[in-house]
Amino acid sequence: MLAVRELELDLDAFEGPFDLLLSLVLREELPLQEVDLAEIIIAFVEHLDGRGELDLDACGEFLVLISALLELKARAMFPEEEAELAELEPEEAAEELARRLAEYRRAKEAANWLRERLDDRRDLFFRIGPAPLAPKAERKLAQQDPEKLAGALRLLAVEPPEPSTGHMALRFPPVSQFLDRWRTLLRRRARFDFDQEVAGLSRVEIAVAFLALLELRKQNEIAIAQAAPFAPIRISRADAERSLSWNVRSA
Amino acid sequence: MERPLRLIPTEVTPAAELARTLEALLVVASQPLPVAELSAAAQAAAAEIEQALEVLGERFAEGSSGIVLEHVAGGYAFRASAAATEACARLFEKPVEKGLSQAALETLAIVAYLGPVTRPEITRIRGVNVDGVIAGLAERGLIAEGGRENEFGAIRYRTTPLFERIFGLESLAALPRVDDLGDDVAQIRERLETVAEKRPA
Amino acid sequence: MERPLRLIPTEVTPAAELARTLEALLVVASQPLPVAELSAAAQAAAAEIEQALEVLGERFAEGSSGIVLEHVAGGYAFRASAAATEACARLFEKPVEKGLSQAALETLAIVAYLGPVTRPEITRIRGVNVDGVIAGLAERGLIAEGGRENEFGAIRYRTTPLFERIFGLESLAALPRVDDLGDDVAQIRERLETVAEKRPA
């Protein structure tokens, strides 16, 4: 019998046997968003085709596995709709899924149209940028108040404050350093406790580390949660929240 | 100017003069010029501009001139004739040097149809991470940032005039409708329901 | 393509075709094209190119077309006709800017109150490189070069009549008084330089 789990995969995001991909995904070491599941299906179908016989058991196993992955991925993709999806009746869920599939179909359709269009047009040349002998644009300035000039001059005459050595003790690490650190951590783990990770750092470093978190939140890369004031601050990958609870429930 | 101004004593009608003015504007412009801009620069009514453009469209047409007038990206612009493509390719880079991948085209389609649209929204529709694709499209100048969802929200993307120009669109409204897939939705749904029924609870 | 390709059944001579190819190359180019480049792109001998350029020079001439073929140092390029100068100026006109940046304002104040003044002097007082700001102010016509410190010395800058117009000054003598900074220009200059030295690098 065809061992589905030994199916060799060569994807953009992963190379190796299907089984390894499954365990990496379940251990949250490989974000499913990066994995093109359609490629896996194609690999399986090609493999099946190569064998020249229909292996029903293998197909069944593959269907179960791939549909689990699909569901996982679907949920990971839409963490913000966690509650919304959970409350859906099967029929509503099916309808929602169908709507999204249709949306994707439309995107594909439109992409095909664009490709044909590009094939027609890409050999046509036009100038990008200014013409060689184009007139130069003149910049015009509104009427100004001469007092502004006196003000600017006075500002230049303001004595600088006495040099302070206070800042010498405060060394601000760059925010980017913590951005890198959090991102690296989040590639390995789907969630962590802030307090644990900053234990032993100076107050300034902790502050900068927190700023980095806010930046990641702004970029929609993470979710930040705190059960109560002064409770541990929990950070999770924006895409991870759902998959965990799904795993727990189905285990 | 090197060559002395040669005055040719022919009668010039106002319409012909306007057409010449538009030629001059179009040959120095860096982007397609909308009728409104031509009208403001040439100080002529929009109707006159459109008439003059019609004349120019016949003069600068594929098959009769190396310079071709086209209506694109919300305005009018000159381009090289298709007949001169090979010569141009020897001297200039193509607007889109390399083809666009399927992922790039799908993302572009989503931005063109649904834009301004955020990265998470695109991800949602495409089903895979689109960060790299978005960066690539932005670098090629086909899409650009266009504000945020709200003050602290995700950045929204929209297609650029260069996109319309490269794809030869008069405007985004010239994109064909792709929402006539109603049957498909019903079919997909039906299939899903069949599968759902058979799934062990 | 929006408009159907119209095939015009006229005989096209090779010379006419070459002229069209050159038209196309010139309308796409963002720099003047030398004969050698045109020759390589159109795959025609230099002599043929020169002949075709002569034909184009007559077609795209001042007085008979809005597009004018110009022979400049670097080669050949299209430009707008002189008759369309005003329309082009309107096209390229930028919206009136409301104010100046703080850096520009400070630099302008130094030139106005202490001028004529050299670039190193302004740099010393402002404590930062001022090359870009000076170039910007000169491009706007608010300051201009006004001689040198000595025969081989640094260029000195002074404000222009345009500066006086924009700031509503009859002359530099009408600048608001800054007695609080010093009794005369020399004192003010010294004070500003002393303060500048105290600024942290």
Side-chain angles (χ1 to χ4, degrees), chain A residues 73 78 81 105 117 123 125, chain B residues 80 94 124 127 167-168 184:
Chain A
K73 181 170 173 178
F78 315 115
E81 289 158 43
R105 289 282 295 269
R117 189 84 181 169
D123 285 338
F125 283 83
Chain B
K94 287 186 184 180
R124 223 175 109 129
F167 285 84
D184 279 5

Side-chain angles (χ1 to χ4, degrees), chain C residues 94 138 152:
Chain C
K94 286 187 182 165
F152 302 105

